Amino acid sequence: INVINDPVIDNQPIATQELCQNATPIDLSVIVSGGTTSNKTYQWYDNSTNSNTGGTPIPSANSSQYTPDTNEVGESYYYVVISQNESGCQVTSEVATVKINEAPEFIKQPISSEICLNGTATLLEVEYDKGTGTPSYQWFSNSTNTNTGGNPIDAANSSSYNPPTDNVGEKFYYAEISFDSGGCDKITSEVASVKVVEQLTINPVADAQTICVGGTANEFQVSFSGGTGEPSYQWFSNTTNSNTGGTEIPGATNSTYTPDAFDIVDSYFFYVEVSIDGVGCNTDASEVFQINVINDPVIDNQPIATQ
């Protein structure tokens, strides 16, 4: 009876690996030496506990290398038993742990915004859940509403990005998140539009009106261009020909205003401030609406009283 040492595993399977669902794993493999000169047979086992005994043999897993399944989320333990025909010639590998995580997905997408020139846009932000490894971020800008083919933005490598608003126009932004381990595919966010419009500008007002005492002026009306959002109006009266320092007129909060009748000869001045609730939009004051009130005409020569 010639008694020799059991075969020896020179290279054990990788001890642990953490992967995303359906990612490509590192193969589990062993290199064996020693034992007898007869052929070695391999049987890989799958176990629910971190042990190299009591596992379930994996069908057709009968070589020195095995590719673990990554379809199911969870943690599995693998080992291989190497045997030879001679009695007692057997060796069992250490346990290889394979943890499968759910693939990453976005739980917060970037939000579109419309902003006045040089205003502050809504901060573009992304968040994700699941996956494995350390994330890397890259934001892209695009001229079309799509999350492919964009241009990477220099230094835009965090989970948030503050887009510029110093040029009028519309741009589209999206983020890609990559992972440094675990075989997770990069994920790409939805597209956020950032539309920059001109600041609000009030159009020129009507020329000064001249009316007589007791008369009523024509309705004032104001219009504007630029800006974004819903406008609000406040009319002011003033004692000087200026669109600052006036007195608010209660209830005069529409785009039109008609002053009450005038009983005193004088010049009267009015203006309106227009504000708009869009992001970063300024308030603007109109030019002055002027009303010149003069005396009624006088009959210097009356008709002959009697004849």
Side-chain angles (χ1 to χ4, degrees), residues 114 120-121 132 136 138 152 154 171 200 203 208 236 242 249-250:
E114 187 170 349
T120 301
T132 182
S136 297
Q138 178 62 62
D154 291 341
K171 283 191 175 181
L200 176 151
N203 297 323
F236 294 79
S242 171
I249 303 172

Side-chain angles (χ1 to χ4, degrees), residues 1-306:
I1 304 297
N2 296 318
V3 179
I4 62 174
N5 286 320
D6 286 319
V8 175
I9 298 176
D10 298 313
N11 285 333
Q12 295 283 350
I14 183 172
T16 59
Q17 52 182 309
E18 190 171 355
L19 305 162
C20 278
Q21 194 172 13
N22 297 317
T24 301
I26 298 173
D27 287 336
L28 305 179
S29 62
V30 291
I31 297 176
V32 182
S33 63
T36 70
T37 58
S38 64
N39 291 333
K40 296 176 177 64
T41 61
Y42 300 83
Q43 178 60 62
W44 288 89
Y45 291 80
D46 184 359
N47 211 350
S48 58
T49 60
N50 190 359
S51 172
N52 63 356
T53 60
T56 302
I58 302 171
S60 302
N62 306 121
S63 73
S64 62
Q65 180 172 295
Y66 172 66
T67 303
D69 183 20
T70 62
N71 293 331
E72 299 295 328
V73 173
E75 196 165 63
S76 296
Y77 306 93
Y78 299 94
Y79 62 92
V80 62
V81 175
I82 302 101
S83 304
Q84 293 184 289
N85 291 330
E86 290 76 15
S87 176
C89 290
Q90 181 173 295
V91 64
T92 302
S93 74
E94 297 172 0
V95 174
T97 302
V98 179
K99 183 178 181 181
I100 307 301
N101 297 308
E102 290 184 282
E105 61 183 10
F106 283 97
I107 57 174
K108 184 175 186 179
Q109 297 280 1
I111 298 174
S112 297
S113 58
E114 187 170 349
I115 315 99
C116 282
L117 185 66
N118 295 317
T120 301
T122 300
L123 185 68
L124 302 177
E125 296 180 285
V126 291
E127 291 181 13
Y128 77 95
D129 190 22
K130 304 169 185 173
T132 182
T134 302
S136 297
Y137 299 86
Q138 178 62 62
W139 287 90
F140 294 80
S141 65
N142 214 345
S143 58
T144 57
N145 189 2
T146 178
N147 63 356
T148 60
N151 297 313
I153 302 169
D154 291 341
N157 307 119
S158 70
S159 61
S160 62
Y161 174 64
N162 192 15
T165 60
D166 55 350
N167 286 302
V168 171
E170 186 174 23
K171 283 191 175 181
F172 304 92
Y173 297 90
Y174 62 93
E176 286 184 353
I177 306 179
S178 305
F179 300 87
D180 66 352
S181 63
C184 295
D185 291 335
K186 68 181 178 184
I187 55 176
T188 304
S189 75
E190 297 174 357
V191 174
S193 162
V194 177
K195 186 176 183 180
V196 180
V197 300
E198 294 282 3
Q199 286 284 356
L200 176 151
T201 302
I202 297 178
N203 297 323
V205 303
D207 294 334
Q209 300 181 49
T210 300
I211 61 175
C212 289
V213 171
T216 301
N218 294 330
E219 179 183 67
F220 301 154
Q221 185 170 16
V222 69
S223 62
F224 66 90
S225 59
T228 179
E230 292 297 321
S232 57
Y233 304 86
Q234 179 59 61
W235 288 87
F236 294 79
S237 62
N238 212 349
T239 56
T240 60
N241 188 357
S242 171
N243 64 356
T244 60
T247 302
E248 284 190 13
I249 303 172
T253 54
N254 296 317
S255 61
T256 59
Y257 173 67
T258 303
D260 295 332
F262 297 92
D263 298 325
I264 299 173
V265 172
D266 204 344
S267 291
Y268 298 86
F269 307 98
F270 301 87
Y271 66 92
V272 62
E273 286 185 352
V274 183
S275 58
I276 198 162
D277 64 5
V279 177
C281 296
N282 297 332
T283 297
D284 195 18
S286 72
E287 297 172 359
V288 174
F289 292 82
Q290 182 173 342
I291 304 295
N292 299 316
V293 180
I294 62 174
N295 286 316
D296 288 321
V298 176
I299 299 175
D300 297 314
N301 288 325
Q302 295 286 345
I304 186 169
T306 60

